[in-house]
Each structure stands twice: as C-alpha cells, then as structure tokens.
C-alpha cells in the first residue's frame, strides 16, 4: 500500500461497526428487550429524516429515516413519558439520536473531523449529499421501519477503493 | 411471555451446565436474554427457539452463554479495589519480596472487567522489577474469548472506567476499545466450572470470587469455598462480593476487615491490618467519611503506597490546585 | 447537591435530569456553553456540570476552558457527556480541566458510577 500526503484517511465504514454502535444507542435509551431486526424495506420510507455531517480529514453524512409512528414511539421512550410527544419533542429526539450515531461513526476513523449540529425534517429528504452511499442498514423496531445511511465523500471513497483493491 | 415448560427446560439446562439456579420469577430475564438469539435464528418467539434447543447442542451452548452473561462494571463497587491497593498489595509486597511476583485469580471473570481492573492497579502500583499474572476463569468459553481479545463496546467502557485510565490503557479499535497489549499479556485464561472439581491449579496470592456464589445452592457454595481454600496461599486473600461478606465460609477460613471490605483468609494467616480480627468495619476505621488508613505505609516501598484516591481517582485538576474527593468519601451530600 | 445540565437537546437534558434528580440533586439547565456561563455568574454555583461538546453558540470544550480560567469556580466538578469519542478528544477535554468523561450513549448506571468515582453520589442515595 502506498501512502501519499493527499490520500484521504480510510473512508470505509463497515456495516458491522455501524450496527454495533446503533445497537449500543438503542439498548441504552430504548431498552434491550426489543432488539433492532434486519428487514427488507421499500426504497422510500416517508416520514422523518435526521442527518449530521462529518467534515475534516474525511467527509461523511449520516442519515436516519424513520416512519412517523416510530419517531413518536422513540421520542416517548427517550422522554420517559406515555403521552403523545409534541412535534418539537420528536424533532429534538431524532436530532439527538442521529447526533449520537453520527458522533460514534466519526470516531471510527483516526483523522481529525468535526461533527455538524443535526438537521431534522419531516416529509423532506436530507440535504442532497454530494457523497456516495457506503453503508445502509434497513431495520425494524417493534415492527416499524427505520433506515440508517452513511454517505462518504465520493472522491475519498474512490481513492480508498483504489487503495484497498491495489 | 415464555411458557412454563420452556422456562423449566432452560432452568434445568442452566443448572446442569453451570450449577447456577434459575428460579421461577426469572422468566422475564430468560426471555430478555434469549429473545435476541431467537430472532437472530429466525424464530418468532422464545418458545419456538427453546424447542430448537431441545435438539441442537450448539444452540444450547449459545443459550447457556447468553444466560450467564452478567453486566459488569470496571472497578465494580470500588471498595474491594481500594482494599486491594491499600491493604493486600502492601502486605504482599512485603511477603513476596523474595520472588517479586504475584499470582491473582479472577474467578467467574465474565467479560474480564475485574481482571483488567486489577491489571491496571498492578501496573500502576507494582514497584519496578515486579511481575504479576491474573488467571481469569469462567464457565463460558465465549466469555474467555472476549477476555483474551480485550475488546469492549462504547457502552461497556462507560461503566465505571475513569477517563484517565481509558486514555492511558485503551485504544480505539473500530466501534470498540481494546485494552493495551501490556495489560493483556498479564492475563491467562482457562475454562472452569466452579461447581465441578478443579483441575490442578497454582497457588494464588489473591482470589476474587465476587457476586457468583449467590447463584449456587448452599451445598455447592460450601463445596466451592472448600476447593478454593486449596488454591489460596496460606497468607493469601479471598474476596467475596459486597453482599456476600457476611457469608460463613466454613472451616479453614478466618475473616479480616479493611475499610469497608471483609477479606476471607486461610486460618492462621497473619493479619494484614494491625487492628484486624474481632472489630467490625466501623470499629477499625471510624465512621464513613474518615480517610482510609494505610497501615503498612512505613514498611513497603513508597511506590506501592500511593493513595487510592490518586490512583483510582479520575484526574488531577488542571491548574486549579483543588484536590479530588476520594471515591469513598462523598462530599457535602 | 446542585447540577447544571448543559446540552442543546431537550431530550438529552430530560434524560440526564431524571438520573441526577433520582440521586437527590436539584438541577438547572442550559442549551449552550454561553447560557451556562451566564447562569453560573448569576448563581447559584452548581456542584456539578454535565456538559455536551457539540452545541451552538459556545461548545462544551470552550465552556470547560472558561470555567477553568475562574479561580472562584475551581470547586465545580466538570463531567463531559458527549458523543465525541475519539481518544484524542478525551485527552483534550481532560487536559482542559474536565474531571470525567462519559461517552453517549450511556445507561443511567454509567452516569451514577462515574459520579461515584468523583465522590458525588450522595450517601443517602446509595443506602
């Protein structure tokens, strides 16, 4: 393997690592009794999208998509309340969820990088990533779908693939 | 919820494999431990998975491993580790000066947090030229594989690990943290069922047998303590769990108190603390909040007597001149 | 005992509030480092600050350095509670004067055990 000064740090994000980090977040805040299960999901879930970006020696965007009933269930769990959460609560809880997942994914790499504040929207796509999808987890929790996506910088990913294949 | 028949099968399986009791009322726990395995194997519920266990030995082994996993913290309960550095270690540095080597046993080591916590304390407190080995045993081979790898999830790292030790002894390894080679090289592992006769074993200076006897019935407990007695050096130490101190360990053992901790010792061992013996913790140390005494401070090398608050405590205050409270003396509660 | 919980997420503040009030703490909350500094100026001074790293206006790392510049605030214990989890980030925070560091996600026990290390679990809470 050759290393040059303009070679980006390793940008491969292993799906097992993302799954392990996600399980950690889920078990800590939503309980270990009901595990996240791998599922086949439609291309478009509809509902909430929460995203954070990583900038620095590597670039990435971490996105969580959830249907509305799951978003509300997760929020109620995190707030420890039975009643229906307000829209602002859902927005905040999803933002914190993607912040935790994204921050942990950022630490998979040794480079120096910054985590953005979270972006959360309903019925919209996350800001278009000028990045290439490198990791996708399609899951259900209590029968409700969610998706986790990791996009990395296209140029960085291409360079990385060359290094790994060479 | 798991059916009675399934629960009885699982309880019986666990008792036969590990001698640990799994009593009615623990259905919820069994369900929580087995459901992820069941789902992973493609079963809708735990009952369907238990039906599979009846005919699949490999799946049974996985189930037993899942059932024996215990949540463990680093430096769990703090006080036993304080006793280790403040009382046991100074005594052993004196009595083992001729060999300059210590042998410890972390029995029922689970995923290894106790063994590595001890390794850190030893590395930080042993004088130059001394070595130590920690023998980590568990009934679960899956656990021993984890101990050898020395890799822990983010969530596990948060459990009682002082941040200063995290940065000193661990490196990131993907989504996990891995303990340094220096500490891993101090650990040996062996599969061992405490409830069955032991294979030939070394003599240990210190045995940690904490929070595991509670799972066994009275006869098995007594058998285990008799077998452990043969493995403890005549002037060695046995530490049981915080809720197990009051336990009558049976013939051959005497109890000695240090700080908040009861140590079990082979009968006839010279006390490691000056006032050891009849007095209870309060009589020896004064009330809660008194500074831990270090009775042997004058007779052992200075490197070994660093106070627990500086060794276990988290971090020196950066430029503030303030002193951290010791871990055992809550301030201004 | 009084804790100041500093995090831009109301959800996270709620989670932390439930944990420390369970130990007998009273709590105040701030949404960023500047708000937290303002609250400390106004008083009462907390015994403990739980501090997120990534926040708008002023981040938690800057907050720690500002608190450590103030001699009269030296008895306030600072614990980072953040998703920042690189080895070098933890070293930086400790060097700046944070006393402990909890990585998100965490369980309530993790927070309580860290506070125990700091001698900040009130005795009646452990009894």
């Amino acid at each position: 393997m050759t290393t040059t000064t303009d070679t980006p740090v390793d940008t491969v994000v292993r799906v097992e690592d993302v799954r392990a980090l996600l399980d950690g977040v889920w078990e800590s805040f939503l309980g270990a009794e009901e595990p996240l299960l791998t599922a086949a999901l439609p291309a478009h879930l509809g509902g909430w999208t929460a995203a954070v970006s990583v900038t620095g020696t590597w670039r990435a965007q971490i996105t969580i998509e959830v249907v509305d009933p799951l978003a509300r269930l997760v929020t109620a769990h995190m707030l420890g309340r039975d009643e229906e959460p307000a829209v602002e609560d859902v927005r905040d809880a999803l933002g914190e969820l993607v912040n935790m997942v994204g921050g942990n994914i950022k630490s998979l790499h040794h480079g120096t990088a910054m985590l953005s504040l979270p972006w959360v929207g309903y019925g919209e796509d996350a800001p278009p990533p000028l990045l290439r999808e490198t990791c996708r987890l399609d899951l259900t929790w209590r029968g409700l779908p969610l998706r986790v996506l990791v996009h990395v910088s296209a140029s960085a990913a291409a360079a990385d693939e060359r290094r790994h294949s060479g | 919820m798991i059916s009675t028949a399934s629960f009885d099968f699982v309880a019986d399986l666990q008792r036969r494999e590990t001698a640990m009791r799994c009593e009615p009322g623990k259905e919820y726990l069994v369900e929580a431990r087995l459901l992820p395995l069941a789902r992973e194997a493609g079963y809708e519920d735990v009952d369907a998975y238990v039906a599979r266990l009846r005919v699949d030995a490999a799946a049974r082994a996985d189930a037993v491993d899942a059932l024996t996993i215990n949540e463990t913290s680093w430096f769990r309960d703090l006080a036993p580790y304080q006793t280790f550095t403040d009382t046991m270690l100074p005594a052993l540095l004196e009595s083992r000066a001729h060999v300059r080597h210590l042998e410890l046993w972390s029995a029922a080591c689970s995923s290894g947090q106790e063994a590595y916590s001890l390794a850190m304390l030893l590395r930080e407190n042993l004088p130059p030229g001394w070595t130590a080995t920690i023998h980590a045993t568990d009934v679960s081979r899956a656990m021993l594989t984890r101990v050898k790898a020395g890799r822990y999830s983010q969530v596990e790292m948060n459990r009682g690990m002082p941040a200063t030790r995290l940065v000193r002894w661990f490196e990131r390894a993907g989504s996990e943290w891995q303990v340094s080679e220096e500490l891993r090289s101090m650990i040996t592992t062996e599969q061992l069922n405490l409830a069955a006769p032991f294979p030939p074993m070394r003599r240990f200076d210190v045995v940690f047998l904490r929070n595991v006897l509670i799972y066994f019935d009275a006869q098995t407990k007594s058998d285990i303590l008799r077998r452990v007695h043969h493995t403890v050096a005549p002037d060695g130490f046995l530490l049981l769990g915080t809720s197990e101190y009051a336990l009558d360990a049976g013939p051959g053992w005497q109890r000695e108190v240090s700080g908040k901790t009861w140590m079990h010792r082979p009968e006839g061992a010279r006390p490691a603390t000056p006032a050891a013996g009849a007095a209870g913790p309060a009589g020896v140390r004064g009330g809660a909040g008194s500074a831990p005494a270090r009775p042997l401070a004058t007779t052992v090398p200075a490197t070994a007597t660093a106070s627990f608050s500086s060794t276990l405590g988290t971090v020196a205050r950066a430029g503030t001149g303030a002193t951290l409270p010791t871990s055992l003396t809550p301030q201004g509660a | 005992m009084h804790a100041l919980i500093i995090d831009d997420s109301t959800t996270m503040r709620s989670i932390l509030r439930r944990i420390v009030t369970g130990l007998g703490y009273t709590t105040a909350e701030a949404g960023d480092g500047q708000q937290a500094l303002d609250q400390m100026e106004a008083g009462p001074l907390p015994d403990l600050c739980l501090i997120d790293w990534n926040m708008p206006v002023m981040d938690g790392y800057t907050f720690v350095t500002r608190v450590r510049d103030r001699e009269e605030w030296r008895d306030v214990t600072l614990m980072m509670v953040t998703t920042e989890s690189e080895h070098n980030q933890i070293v930086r925070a400790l060097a700046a004067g944070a006393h402990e560091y909890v990585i998100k996600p965490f369980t309530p026990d993790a927070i309580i055990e860290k506070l125990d290390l700091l001698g900040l679990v009130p005795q009646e809470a452990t009894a």
Side-chain angles (χ1 to χ4, degrees), chain B residues 73 78 154-155 158-164 166-167 170 172 177 288 314-315 317-318 320 325-327 330-333, chain C residues 1 68 74-75 77 85 87 90 95 97-103 105-106 109-110 113-114 116-119 121-123:
Chain B
S73 306
L78 294 177
Q154 197 85 268
V155 174
N158 268 338
R159 300 293 310 272
M161 171 65 70
T164 44
L166 173 100
V167 297
F170 290 82
R172 288 295 303 229
W177 293 80
T314 52
V315 64
R317 297 206 173 199
T320 64
T326 70
S327 53
Q331 311 281 300
Chain C
M1 300 285 266
R68 282 293 157 251
R74 67 174 190 185
D75 289 335
T77 299
S85 45
H87 193 275
I90 303 173
H99 300 105
E100 258 304 339
Y101 202 106
V102 174
I103 298 166
F106 55 83
D109 285 344
E113 285 162 356
K114 290 280 186 164
D116 199 19
L117 286 173
L118 295 162
V121 175
Q123 196 116 64

Side-chain angles (χ1 to χ4, degrees), chain B residues 163 314, chain C residues 4-6 16 19-20 25 47-53 60 63-64 68 76-82 93-94 97-103 106 108 110-118 120:
Chain B
T314 52
Chain C
L4 177 56
I5 302 168
I6 311 161
L16 289 168
I19 295 170
V20 296
Y25 277 77
D47 301 285
L48 167 72
C49 291
L50 301 173
I51 312 152
D52 186 20
W53 191 308
F63 171 79
V64 168
R68 282 293 157 251
V76 179
T77 299
L78 305 178
M79 184 157 94
M80 301 298 293
V81 182
T82 169
L94 295 177
H99 300 105
E100 258 304 339
Y101 202 106
V102 174
I103 298 166
F106 55 83
I111 299 285
I112 294 166
E113 285 162 356
K114 290 280 186 164
L115 293 178
D116 199 19
L117 286 173
L118 295 162
L120 287 173

Side-chain angles (χ1 to χ4, degrees), chain A residues 21 24-25 27-29 75 77-81 88-89 92-94 96 99-104 106-107 109-118, chain C residues 7-19 52-57 59 81-89 92 103-108:
Chain A
L21 295 171
V25 170
E27 284 167 24
S28 298
F29 294 114
T75 305
H77 258 272
M78 289 177 80
L79 290 171
R81 297 198 207 126
E88 272 322 297
D89 290 337
D92 186 88
L94 294 181
E96 185 57 19
N99 169 58
M100 286 191 279
V101 175
N104 277 282
K106 173 168 87 80
S107 66
H109 294 281
H110 288 296
T112 310
M114 297 254 299
L115 190 69
S116 73
L117 294 172
Chain C
D7 198 305
D8 57 332
S9 162
T10 54
T11 311
M12 187 48 64
R13 295 205 302 267
S14 156
I15 288 168
L16 289 168
R17 183 176 64 236
R18 276 175 278 146
I19 295 170
D52 186 20
W53 191 308
N54 295 303
M55 292 182 287
V57 188
D59 66 35
V81 182
T82 169
T83 186
E84 289 290 325
S85 45
E86 286 97 330
H87 193 275
N88 62 347
Q89 291 290 72
R92 272 182 75 204
I103 298 166
K104 295 175 183 173
F106 55 83
T107 56

Side-chain angles (χ1 to χ4, degrees), chain B:
Chain B
M1 182 52 87
I2 186 171
S3 73
T4 308
S6 297
F7 178 78
D8 289 347
F9 174 81
V10 171
D12 185 57
L13 172 68
Q14 197 185 8
R15 192 186 50 71
R16 277 187 288 115
E17 295 290 323
T18 69
M20 288 183 183
R21 290 168 303 150
C22 182
E23 285 165 346
K26 295 285 173 73
E27 286 87 353
Y28 170 80
L29 191 68
V30 168
E31 173 112 17
R33 292 279 171 89
L34 294 186
L35 188 60
L37 293 183
R39 293 280 169 80
E40 197 62 39
Y43 293 96
E44 262 305 294
D45 57 34
V46 170
D47 285 329
Y49 179 63
V50 170
R52 165 72 178 277
L53 294 183
R54 291 176 188 272
V55 296
D56 182 341
R60 277 202 296 277
D62 289 343
V64 170
D65 278 342
L67 290 165
T68 45
I69 291 171
N70 284 299
E71 241 190 39
T72 329
S73 306
W74 307 91
F75 302 97
R76 183 175 174 182
D77 302 329
L78 294 177
Y81 294 97
Q82 176 151 13
T83 298
F84 176 72
T85 43
D86 287 354
T87 303
M88 296 187 234
L89 202 49
L92 289 167
L93 288 178
E94 206 173 20
S95 61
R96 299 294 183 272
H98 58 298
V99 288
R100 298 203 295 173
H101 178 78
L102 300 180
E103 289 279 350
L104 279 68
W105 179 16
S106 172
C109 64
S110 187
S111 38
Q113 281 87 340
E114 178 181 84
Y116 284 119
S117 297
L118 289 168
M120 285 174 223
L121 291 180
L122 286 164
R123 265 285 167 267
E124 293 166 13
N125 288 282
L126 279 181
W130 283 67
T131 55
T133 302
I134 300 151
H135 196 50
T137 69
D138 202 273
V139 69
S140 158
R141 288 185 199 280
M143 285 295 110
L144 296 175
T145 304
R146 291 208 55 199
V147 174
K148 270 184 271 195
R151 288 172 73 123
Y152 299 91
S153 73
Q154 197 85 268
V155 174
E156 289 172 309
M157 291 310 297
N158 268 338
R159 300 293 310 272
M161 171 65 70
T164 44
R165 288 216 165 93
L166 173 100
V167 297
R168 177 167 177 187
W169 295 115
F170 290 82
E171 282 296 336
R172 288 295 303 229
S175 62
E176 300 178 307
W177 293 80
Q178 185 170 36
V179 72
S180 73
E181 169 59 31
E182 189 181 353
L183 297 188
R184 274 184 286 142
S185 69
M186 296 170 70
I187 310 282
T188 58
T189 59
E190 184 179 15
Q191 198 260 347
L192 183 82
N193 184 353
L194 290 167
F198 296 171
M201 293 183 85
R202 320 161 206 174
R203 278 292 177 106
F204 296 104
D205 302 307
V206 182
V207 175
F208 273 61
L209 179 70
R210 304 176 57 220
N211 308 305
V212 62
L213 291 179
I214 45 172
Y215 295 107
F216 297 104
D217 62 35
Q219 182 58 50
T220 311
K221 266 182 208 171
S222 147
D223 291 345
I224 292 171
L225 284 164
R226 185 172 39 75
R227 283 193 289 269
V228 168
H229 191 277
H230 295 300
T231 72
V232 180
D235 60 347
F237 301 85
L238 165 67
L239 244 90
L240 302 176
T242 309
S243 62
E244 301 162 329
Y245 288 166
L247 188 77
D248 177 12
W253 294 101
Q254 66 191 33
R255 279 194 300 174
E256 187 180 333
V257 72
S258 170
K260 288 178 165 183
T261 308
W262 286 100
M263 306 174 292
H264 284 87
R265 311 200 60 198
E267 227 157 44
R270 188 166 67 90
T273 51
V284 174
R285 288 283 175 265
S290 64
R294 285 181 289 280
L296 296 178
T298 55
T299 59
V300 293
T303 45
T305 61
S307 78
F308 195 70
S309 55
S310 66
T311 55
L312 188 65
T314 52
V315 64
R317 297 206 173 199
T320 64
T323 323
L324 268 188
T326 70
S327 53
L328 296 179
T329 52
Q331 311 281 300

